[in-house]
Amino acid sequence: MTRKQVLRYVAIAVIGVLLAFTFVQLGRWQLDRLDQRRERNATVVAHESEAVRPYTEVMTGEIGDDDQWFRVTATGRYLPQQYQVRYRSLDGAYGSEFLAVLETEQGHHLLVNRGFAPRQGAAPAAELPALPTGTVEVTGFVQRNQRGDENAMTPHDGQLRLINSDVLGRATGLDLIDGYVSLIESSPADDGGLTPLGPPALDEGNHFSYALQWFAFTVIGVIGLVVLIRGDVRERRKARRRPVAPASPLVEPASPASTLVEPASPASGVETPRADERTR
């Protein structure tokens, strides 16, 4: 085996190992997503079975994953500002969610996600739904702040893409409670025409099947790599064993027959005419 062939096989093997490593990591990532989904579902089921509690008993510090989906209640008045959260979907429809700030009887500012409205027309800005006036009592699910690009959490002309009470509080100058509440019901009723979001579906999604697919790609890639190298080696061995046909010998071209007549020797008794007689 030549040095060039060795380098070729090494390069193929390195590429195969890198692909296999990537596929395995993607499969593990899907399994991690599955574990997170199961933990979330367990949290939803556990917290939904508990009684509704005042928000001051739950939202006392930084809201984490384990604090979500508690049902809490708060009483107060809405501030006039509203915010449109774009690029949202619900039950296959695309639209926006709408945020408002509830000034509670305890003097806190609580961010409330009032619900979802489907998109109307091509304009990105939607008409803000009317806020309930006077004192209202809201019941909703506790939600942690969403994570991502801070620019997406900062309101621009009343619009944003991610809900984060810390960033929104800095932008508006309000001291907002960490996290927010996703509205379930309001008393008096919220007549803004919005659809409450409700709890998430308690299924496990497609994470397990996706993980199996990535692991299958790993096995297929390894087998394909072995087959490719073995096939190449086999073809090279066959090429070395194949007999080489001998080269055809070169044939000397025949020289033209001589037309010269040898003169007869005097001993033969044949008279050779003289040149002057042949030309007469």
Side-chain angles (χ1 to χ4, degrees), residues 16-69:
V17 169
L18 290 176
L19 288 176
F21 177 79
T22 302
F23 293 160
V24 169
Q25 293 304 310
L26 289 171
R28 293 180 60 185
W29 173 66
Q30 288 293 339
L31 292 179
D32 290 340
R33 294 286 304 277
L34 176 61
D35 290 339
Q36 295 171 10
R37 191 73 170 260
R38 288 171 175 172
E39 291 176 0
R40 186 206 65 182
N41 292 347
T43 302
V44 172
V45 172
H47 292 175
E48 273 193 323
S49 62
E50 297 188 13
V52 178
R53 302 161 63 181
Y55 78 95
T56 53
E57 294 183 6
V58 178
M59 307 179 75
T60 56
E62 183 177 354
I63 301 300
D65 291 336
D66 294 338
D67 301 313
Q68 295 195 109
W69 307 110

Side-chain angles (χ1 to χ4, degrees), residues 163-274:
I163 305 173
N164 188 292
S165 61
D166 294 335
V167 177
L168 189 58
R170 289 195 296 268
T172 59
L174 295 173
D175 185 15
L176 297 173
I177 291 178
D178 189 79
Y180 62 98
V181 170
S182 183
L183 189 67
I184 299 174
E185 59 183 7
S186 174
S187 178
D190 191 327
D191 296 327
L194 301 175
T195 303
L197 300 180
L202 298 179
D203 60 79
E204 295 186 349
N206 298 321
H207 301 300
F208 185 71
S209 60
Y210 290 159
L212 291 181
Q213 289 178 11
W214 286 118
F215 293 144
F217 291 157
T218 303
V219 175
I220 292 172
V222 171
I223 295 175
L225 178 65
V226 173
V227 171
L228 175 64
I229 294 178
R230 290 187 62 184
D232 189 74
V233 171
R234 187 182 302 111
E235 289 299 321
R236 291 180 182 276
R237 287 176 178 173
K238 287 181 179 179
R240 287 197 300 267
R241 294 171 184 171
R242 190 176 298 119
V244 180
S248 301
L250 295 177
V251 179
E252 292 289 339
S255 58
S258 176
T259 57
L260 297 177
V261 178
E262 292 291 334
S265 61
S268 62
V270 179
E271 182 181 0
T272 303
R274 293 180 302 184

